[in-house]
């Protein structure tokens, strides 16, 4: 089943499933409010279950998909995850809104491909032990984490010295701080190498995306924040690297096409032939790497701070950023305010070391209100 099937990852995943042939069958699809596209996807795949988070879309979806059981509301999505006859779930909802459905999939002990990094940033400390307890396999879909996951088959986790998460640097890699102060939502939505949904595209422009990915990596691989390095790599060909204790560095490379990590998660531990396009080495002139600039991209530092603090700080940083990105897209705050407000809210938070799920959700609500109060 594909959660968030109308999004950038969801649509790419449906293409991958078509390429995998008759062995792969879709049993459930979900969306927030794009009922028309969801209905088309249901008709094309013959999915027996569908859920729409926005209840206003329920009647129209039911009329458009007569042979399908339709559910609605955030609870409808969780019910779909609990009842679908599935062995693999792709968690591709954007934001903390995806957490409940990801948790439900992990609770069932299924194989879960996690694109929804925010669910790990918010509640990785609950999701990862739960997965072990329920026998769920969590396979990262985020390209960097998929790369690390693949590179980890070259050695043991205990032999890892550090990992390098690569970053394209986004559209403002070479811009001055003064130029960045004037950035509009349209500027921030133009990514140089990856084609993605709007929230992650803006996160890439601030480098908050990499900040969230540091926290995501910490939870997925159980590494210390000091073992996670970020390298700007404008060509987006090396998707990430693992350095072992003997000095060997293993990299995973390919075209910047999310179909490759999506398919890898779906077919794991095998590999399928329906992933992204092959890399044309003749067209590759150089592979460049440079350290990120902490002055122009302060968001990255916040990711390390939250990764070190652990506990409820990931939930707070994520929620503050989600709210600030919404405000920026509504043109109510400037581009640089996204990191500034996130920093302010994180610094005001009294971190809970071992929070319950309810405390994490409460921290998330608090952080969103703080952003509104600060701007
Ligand atoms: P998107 O905005 O294109 O799609 C989001 C999907 O989630 C849509 O189907 C939407 O209907 C659904 N959704 C949004 N809000 C919801 C809510 N409140 N309740 C239920 N469903 C909701 O986003 P995307 O770019 O596909 O990203 C999805 C996730 O994958 C994000 O967590 C992102 O960080 C991660 N990711 C994306 C890419 C990429 O290339 N797009 C790469 C790496 C990781
Ligand atoms: Mg990524």
């Amino acid at each position: 089943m594909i959660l968030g099937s109308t999004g950038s990852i969801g649509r790419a995943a449906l293409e991958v499933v078509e390429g995998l042939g008759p062995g792969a069958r879709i049993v459930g699809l979900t969306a927030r409010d794009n009922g028309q596209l969801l209905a088309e996807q249901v008709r094309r795949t013959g999915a027996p279950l569908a859920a729409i988070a926005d209840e206003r879309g329920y009647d129209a979806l039911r009329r458009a998909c007569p042979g399908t059981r339709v559910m609605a509301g955030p609870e409808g999505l969780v019910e779909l995850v609990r009842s679908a006859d599935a062995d693999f779930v792709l968690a591709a909802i954007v934001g903390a809104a995806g957490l409940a459905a990801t948790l439900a999939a992990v609770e069932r002990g299924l194989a879960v491909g996690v694109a929804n990094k925010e669910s790990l940033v918010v509640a990785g400390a609950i999701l990862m032990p739960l997965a072990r307890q329920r026998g769920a396999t969590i396979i990262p879909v985020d390209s960097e984490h998929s790369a690390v996951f693949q590179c980890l088959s070259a050695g043991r986790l205990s032999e890892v010295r550090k990992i390098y998460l690569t970053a394209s640097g986004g559209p403002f890699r070479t811009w001055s701080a003064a130029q960045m102060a004037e950035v509009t939502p349209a500027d921030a939505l133009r990514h140089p190498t990856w084609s993605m949904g709007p929230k992650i595209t803006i996160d890439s422009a601030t480098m908050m995306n990499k900040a969230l990915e540091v926290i995501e990596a910490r939870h997925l691989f159980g590494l210390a924040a000091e073992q996670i390095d970020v390298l700007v790599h404008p060509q987006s060909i090396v998707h990430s690297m693992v350095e072992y204790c003997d000095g060997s560095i293993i990299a995973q490379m390919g075209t910047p096409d999310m179909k490759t990590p999506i398919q890898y998660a779906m077919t794991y531990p095998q590999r399928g032939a329906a992933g992204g396009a092959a890399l044309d080495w003749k067209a590759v002139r150089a592979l460049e790497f440079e350290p990120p600039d902490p002055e122009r991209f302060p968001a990255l530092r916040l990711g390390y701070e939250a990764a070190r603090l652990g506990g409820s700080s990931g939930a707070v940083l994520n929620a503050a950023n989600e709210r600030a990105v919404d405000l920026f897209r509504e043109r109510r705050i400037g581009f640089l305010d996204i990191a500034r407000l996130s920093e302010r809210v994180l610094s005001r938070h009294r971190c809970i070391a071992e929070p319950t799920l309810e405390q994490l959700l409460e921290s998330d609500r608090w952080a969103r209100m703080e952003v509104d109060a600060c701007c």
Side-chain angles (χ1 to χ4, degrees):
M1 71 184 111
I2 300 178
L3 312 175
S5 60
T6 56
S8 163
I9 291 286
R11 283 177 279 125
L14 283 171
E15 278 181 44
V16 171
V17 171
E18 273 168 25
L20 287 174
R25 204 167 51 87
I26 296 284
V27 296
L29 297 173
T30 80
R32 180 180 50 196
D33 50 14
N34 190 346
Q36 205 177 337
L37 178 56
L38 182 60
E40 269 172 49
Q41 293 178 334
V42 166
R43 281 197 294 267
R44 205 171 70 226
T45 59
L49 301 177
I52 185 150
D54 184 338
E55 288 166 19
R56 289 170 298 183
Y58 174 73
D59 286 333
L61 186 62
R62 238 180 38 144
R63 278 197 301 274
C65 315
T68 293
R69 188 174 152 215
V70 173
M71 294 162 238
E75 325 73 44
L77 264 67
V78 170
E79 195 192 332
L80 179 144
V81 176
R82 292 203 176 124
S83 49
D85 177 21
D87 44 27
F88 175 83
V89 182
L90 182 68
I93 291 173
V94 62
L99 174 58
T102 308
L103 257 175
V106 170
E107 261 165 12
R108 278 190 60 185
L110 301 176
V112 188
V114 180
N116 177 219
K117 68 187 84 191
E118 295 90 349
S119 63
L120 283 165
V121 171
V122 173
I126 290 178
L127 279 168
M128 297 307 293
L130 185 68
R132 280 189 288 275
Q133 192 192 329
R134 297 297 172 99
T137 311
I138 294 195
I139 310 131
V141 172
D142 212 350
S143 58
E144 298 77 2
H145 305 73
S146 173
V148 169
F149 189 81
Q150 294 179 54
C151 295
L152 284 175
S153 58
R156 297 204 182 102
L157 202 51
S158 60
E159 294 164 343
V160 171
R161 190 184 282 161
K162 55 156 63 168
I163 64 172
Y164 294 94
L165 300 179
T166 53
S168 69
F172 312 131
R173 182 173 61 90
T174 57
W175 288 34
S176 69
Q179 285 174 306
M180 279 164 63
E182 305 300 323
V183 160
T184 65
D187 296 328
L189 285 168
R190 246 177 266 129
H191 195 277
T193 49
W194 293 96
S195 161
M196 310 180 285
K199 190 259 178 184
I200 183 176
T201 305
I202 292 175
D203 285 352
S204 301
T206 56
M207 288 196 80
M208 187 64 87
N209 182 47
K210 220 42 61 176
L212 300 178
E213 290 185 358
V214 169
I215 306 170
E216 180 187 11
R218 219 183 104 49
H219 287 301
L220 279 170
F221 308 118
L223 299 168
E226 295 68 36
Q227 288 177 287
I228 305 169
D229 256 7
V230 170
L231 272 180
V232 173
H233 168 48
Q235 291 81 17
S236 298
I237 288 174
V238 175
H239 297 314
S240 277
M241 304 185 270
V242 172
E243 181 179 318
Y244 285 95
C245 54
D246 61 356
S248 288
I249 298 177
I250 312 289
Q252 188 263 344
M253 295 183 254
T255 49
D257 185 337
M258 288 306 294
K259 290 208 276 296
T260 305
I262 291 170
Q263 177 184 256
Y264 183 78
M266 284 181 182
T267 59
Y268 175 79
Q270 271 105 40
R271 287 181 187 269
L279 182 66
D280 176 8
W281 281 106
K282 289 193 288 298
V284 178
R285 288 283 156 269
L287 297 178
E288 296 164 293
F289 301 94
E290 63 194 38
D293 178 352
E295 300 302 321
R296 288 181 306 126
F297 297 100
L300 192 52
R301 184 167 35 78
L302 304 181
Y304 277 100
E305 197 176 318
R308 269 187 215 102
L309 285 167
S312 52
S313 58
V316 165
L317 177 61
N318 177 69
N321 176 61
E322 281 191 28
R323 182 67 190 135
V325 168
D326 282 344
L327 292 172
F328 170 66
R329 289 179 66 192
E330 293 163 17
R331 292 176 163 269
R332 289 163 62 191
I333 61 170
F335 181 72
L336 298 179
D337 294 328
I338 300 174
R340 192 180 55 78
L341 287 168
S342 300
E343 176 159 28
R344 167 111 55 106
V345 173
L346 187 62
S347 70
R348 286 190 184 185
H349 174 59
R350 301 257 292 292
C351 183
I352 309 166
E354 287 185 20
T356 61
L357 183 60
E358 190 38 56
Q359 286 172 319
L360 289 173
L361 299 177
E362 178 50 37
S363 301
D364 173 296
R365 284 190 287 272
W366 172 85
R368 286 170 203 262
M369 286 190 317
E370 280 293 299
V371 171
D372 285 340
C374 289
C375 71

